[in-house]
Structure formats: C-alpha cells, structure tokens
Amino acid sequence: MALIDPGKKAPAFSLKDQEGKTQKLADYAGRPVILYFYPKDDTPGCTKEACAFRDNLPRFKTSKAAVLGVSILDEESKAKFAQKYALGFPLLADPDHAVAEKYGVWQEKSNYGRKYMGIARTTYLIGPDGKVQRRWDKVKVDKHAEEVIAALG
C-alpha cells in the first residue's frame, strides 16, 4: 500500500507493546500521536532515534502527544530494547508487518546489492481528529525529535 498523505485518516491498528499490552490507535483519540516506524530494535540508528524521543518525552507531554514506536520484531525484543535504554513509551510489535503495510512503510530496500523487504524509517504525526497532519519520509535520525516537536507547535 501507499504512504498515507496528510489530510487522510490514519489507518486503525491494534498491536501489542513491550509489556504485552494491546495498544490501539483509537485509545489515543482526541490527542496527537507520533507514530514512528523504525527498522530494528537496538541497532545504532534506531537506538539513537528512540533515545531522542525518550529524552524529549516531557516536551511531547506538554502537547499531550503520545509517542509510539513500531517495528517488526516481537514483544520480547521490544521489552529488552525498552529496558536497556529506559524507553518510557510503547514500542509496538508488528511481526507480520500488517500495520507497516497499511502505512506504506513496508518497502523494498537494498543493502550491498542485496534486495529485501523491510521498514522504511518514517514518522507520522496524527492529529487529535485521527487524520495524518504530517509525514516524514527517509527520516534522518539527528534532530528528528526536535522537528516533530516543532511540528506539534
């Protein structure tokens, strides 16, 4: 599926987090949601991105925004990752990449000439009305959390 453009309704989802608790997009109705898709738990870029969101949580909380990270690794992997870096927000397991596909971030990637399917680092800002307000494609980890905070206004 294609990426979701700003102005369109964000697709509903229901995924388990690092504590085995089911998280649904509907649970966050009426407040902004930062839904960020990342390739893999505990890898350099993904760790840097997660820690930047963690370090800025107080700033996200002032706008009542929820931060949710999504990758295809299982809840156990998410639990280790969250514990290792004290990540105080839900990390959602999308092992069959169904949600990544709904959001258009399950894409063909290439590494050293080898082609494979994986998550393209993408962030969605979903408004309190459930519509996509902004999308960042091919996210550069440095300063990304700050860009998201600026977009929240």
Side-chain angles (χ1 to χ4, degrees):
M1 286 183 83
L3 290 158
I4 313 299
D5 289 323
K8 301 270 191 247
K9 189 142 187 59
F13 62 80
S14 175
L15 293 172
K16 293 229 188 285
D17 67 14
Q18 70 266 37
E19 294 167 2
K21 183 175 170 237
T22 300
Q23 300 274 348
K24 297 184 181 96
L25 181 57
D27 297 340
Y28 297 94
R31 58 190 280 210
V33 174
I34 292 109
L35 185 66
Y36 81 95
F37 291 88
Y38 64 99
K40 205 170 175 198
D41 298 329
D42 208 0
T43 54
C46 298
T47 298
K48 194 170 182 182
E49 184 176 27
C51 289
F53 279 121
R54 175 201 66 203
D55 295 347
N56 284 287
L57 275 178
R59 293 170 72 191
F60 287 115
K61 287 201 168 96
T62 58
S63 61
K64 301 203 179 357
V67 176
L68 305 173
V70 183
S71 86
I72 58 170
L73 296 177
D74 63 18
E75 297 152 49
E76 192 179 329
S77 173
K78 304 265 166 290
K80 284 183 190 148
F81 185 37
Q83 192 171 10
K84 184 173 178 181
Y85 296 100
L87 304 175
F89 55 88
L91 295 176
L92 310 181
D94 185 20
D96 60 2
H97 47 80
V99 174
E101 286 183 43
K102 275 189 196 178
Y103 280 83
V105 302
W106 185 248
Q107 299 174 4
E108 184 175 82
K109 298 170 90 174
S110 177
N111 195 11
Y112 300 112
R114 187 177 71 87
K115 295 207 180 299
Y116 61 97
M117 294 301 289
I119 286 184
R121 193 182 303 277
T122 308
T123 299
Y124 283 94
L125 171 55
I126 301 166
D129 60 358
K131 289 185 177 157
V132 173
Q133 286 184 339
R134 179 120 186 239
R135 185 186 77 225
W136 289 265
D137 301 327
K138 296 182 175 83
V139 166
K140 298 281 179 265
V141 174
D142 288 327
K143 303 276 182 235
H144 180 56
E146 288 84 356
E147 290 171 2
V148 176
I149 289 164
L152 278 166

